[in-house]
């Protein structure tokens, strides 16, 4: 079983809609969870981190963490064409190792 | 505070040559991670290092690949006798030690080195 799993997509949403990206992880004792965005040909950039169960909001982005279900999600409200990218879920375990999912490709259609 | 610096940004090597990729972590970061990414694919973990120690090299091929993070200077990923299949983007990320603290332990990426083997 992979450490971090994501639906590879592609996911297409119309401009202004909510995009929902999901991720599950296998290591129950993981403590730190991250979402990165990667534009084509560029390096991943950190957009959200979450450490506690519940929701964390930052502008149009909301990260949700459910440790009991080992589930992390990212909601993007009022999606814009500039949000079109690949979104990578990452988990840091107690051994300081980062595991990345393979990414979900998002396209926002104008 | 400079970010993670990787060089060169682009590297072209002929088959059989050696490729040497450098990564200088962010100031205060003692953990370095190397990842490989093929076109249209996800990040594949290669190796995790701390100063003078390889912590986890389970993602690195046993042959031709090596990595180091010396006490002074950048982390180096070395690929000997390169083959066409080594052509990829190689990303380095760094993070601070967590020292028992969960927060503010994000990893930040460099711009990557795009290796082309001809």
């Amino acid at each position: 079983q992979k450490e971090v799993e994501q639906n590879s997509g592609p996911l297409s949403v119309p401009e202004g809609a909510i995009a929902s990206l999901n991720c599950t992880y296998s290591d129950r004792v993981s403590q730190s969870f991250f979402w990165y965005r990667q534009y084509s040909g560029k390096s991943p950039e950190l957009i959200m981190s979450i450490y506690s169960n519940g929701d964390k909001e930052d502008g149009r982005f909301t990260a949700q963490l459910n440790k009991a279900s080992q589930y992390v999600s990212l909601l993007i409200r009022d999606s814009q064409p500039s949000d079109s990218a690949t979104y990578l879920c990452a988990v840091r375990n107690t051994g300081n190792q980062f595991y990345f999912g393979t990414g979900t490709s998002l396209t926002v259609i104008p | 505070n400079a970010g993670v610096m990787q060089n060169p940004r682009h590297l072209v090597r002929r088959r059989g040559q050696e490729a040497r990729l450098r990564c200088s972590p962010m100031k205060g970061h003692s953990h370095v991670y190397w990842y490989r990414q093929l076109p249209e694919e996800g990040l594949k973990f290669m190796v995790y290092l701390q100063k003078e120690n390889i912590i986890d090299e389970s993602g690195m091929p046993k042959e031709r690949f090596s990595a180091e993070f010396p006490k002074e200077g950048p982390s180096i990923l070395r690929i000997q006798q390169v083959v066409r299949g080594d052509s990829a983007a190689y990303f380095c990320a760094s993070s601070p030690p967590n020292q028992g603290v969960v927060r503010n332990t994000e990893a930040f990426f460099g711009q990557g080195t795009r290796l082309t083997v001809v």
Side-chain angles (χ1 to χ4, degrees), chain A residues 43-109:
Chain A
S43 62
E45 58 177 325
L46 179 70
I47 55 173
M48 289 284 285
S49 56
I50 186 166
Y51 306 100
S52 307
N53 277 327
D55 295 0
K56 178 182 178 182
E57 187 174 317
D58 183 0
R60 295 186 296 111
F61 298 95
T62 299
Q64 299 174 318
L65 173 61
N66 183 327
K67 290 187 179 181
S69 301
Q70 295 175 237
Y71 177 89
V72 191
S73 66
L74 180 70
L75 300 178
I76 307 175
R77 289 183 301 282
D78 188 22
S79 295
Q80 301 297 309
S82 59
D83 295 327
S84 298
T86 297
Y87 289 81
L88 301 164
C89 172
V91 173
R92 181 170 180 164
N93 67 11
T94 52
N96 296 320
Q97 178 57 286
F98 281 86
Y99 293 100
F100 284 83
T102 53
T104 298
S105 175
L106 171 67
T107 300
V108 180
I109 303 167

Side-chain angles (χ1 to χ4, degrees), chain A residues 36 38 41 43 92 96-97, chain B residues 33 37 45 98 105 107 110 114:
Chain A
Y36 289 80
Q38 186 176 26
S43 62
R92 181 170 180 164
N96 296 320
Q97 178 57 286
Chain B
Y33 309 83
Q37 189 173 41
F45 166 75
N98 63 9
T105 56
R114 276 139 186 93

Side-chain angles (χ1 to χ4, degrees), chain B residues 48-77:
Chain B
Y48 160 38
L49 309 105
Q50 295 178 19
K51 284 284 187 182
E52 299 184 278
N53 282 307
I54 297 175
I55 307 302
D56 182 353
E57 57 182 347
S58 58
M60 202 155 66
K62 296 284 188 281
E63 314 251 331
R64 303 188 297 109
F65 286 72
S66 62
E68 63 177 6
F69 188 15
K71 187 177 180 181
E72 301 290 337
S75 175
I76 307 284
L77 178 68

